[in-house]
Amino acid sequence: MAWWVINEWLLEDLRGANGAERQRQAVGFLSKLVKRCDGIVVVIESAWWRKAFDLMKRSDDPAVREVSKFLHQQVLLDSQKCRLLSQENLCPLPCALRQVVKPDDWYLVQAYLTAKADAIITTDESLKEVLSSHNLPVLLRDEVVEGN
């Protein structure tokens, strides 16, 4: 089992904001995550958390509502698939990382460190470059969803 910290690309893709193909790939990624018994790490009240719940509440598109329902029921509500962390319990971000990581991304790195996750999955190439230079494992979205 692998634990992943995923930034907001997943929610934007599921919403269809990046086109139908990326939406299809994101749904495939989630389906494979469930089948492989992998899980995600989510920080409660983070930007990711808020977008996940907005996805469910604000969509008029039936396909997006269905995808959101799958995300919530099969992943977020399953403790075997989702490790929830509170903001108060996140380990502090080391100074070396605080200086080079954008503040909006601090919670992702803190979640990774706190949960001892396997990697962070992002679309942000500069974040990957910065974290990789500090020996933190980072995968780009296209490396994990291609071929779904």
Side-chain angles (χ1 to χ4, degrees):
M1 173 178 227
W3 286 98
W4 309 108
V5 174
I6 304 171
N7 74 349
E8 292 120 52
W9 66 263
L10 178 63
L11 302 165
E12 294 300 320
D13 284 0
L14 291 174
R15 187 169 58 87
N18 299 316
E21 178 62 18
R22 288 177 80 88
Q23 184 180 41
R24 184 193 64 73
Q25 290 173 339
V27 170
F29 170 77
L30 268 186
S31 297
K32 285 184 178 182
L33 180 125
V34 169
K35 288 177 186 164
R36 282 192 309 251
C37 297
D38 288 350
I40 63 172
V41 179
V42 175
V43 178
I44 297 168
E45 297 302 323
S46 66
W48 198 100
W49 174 268
R50 287 188 296 276
K51 283 186 179 185
F53 282 90
D54 280 350
L55 183 71
M56 185 171 65
K57 291 179 183 178
R58 297 179 191 242
S59 178
D60 295 331
D61 182 338
V64 174
R65 278 197 310 272
E66 192 63 32
V67 167
S68 176
K69 183 177 174 182
F70 180 80
L71 171 66
H72 285 81
Q73 291 180 348
Q74 299 297 314
V75 180
L76 298 179
L77 296 176
D78 184 344
S79 63
Q80 299 297 310
K81 300 283 178 219
C82 182
R83 190 176 296 166
L84 294 174
L85 302 175
S86 67
Q87 300 265 354
E88 309 80 53
N89 292 329
L90 293 176
C91 67
L93 192 65
C95 275
L97 291 173
R98 186 176 291 268
Q99 294 173 354
V100 295
V101 174
K102 291 182 263 181
D104 286 350
D105 293 329
W106 287 358
Y107 82 95
L108 298 168
V109 181
Q110 289 175 286
Y112 165 81
L113 295 170
T114 302
K116 298 177 176 53
D118 291 276
I120 295 172
I121 304 173
T122 185
T123 54
D124 186 338
E125 292 181 11
S126 63
L127 179 63
K128 178 180 179 170
E129 186 177 312
V130 165
L131 295 178
S132 294
S133 74
H134 285 84
N135 298 314
L136 296 177
V138 180
L139 299 169
L140 291 174
R141 175 221 183 265
D142 291 342
E143 295 172 326
V144 297
V145 299
E146 291 285 314
N148 278 334

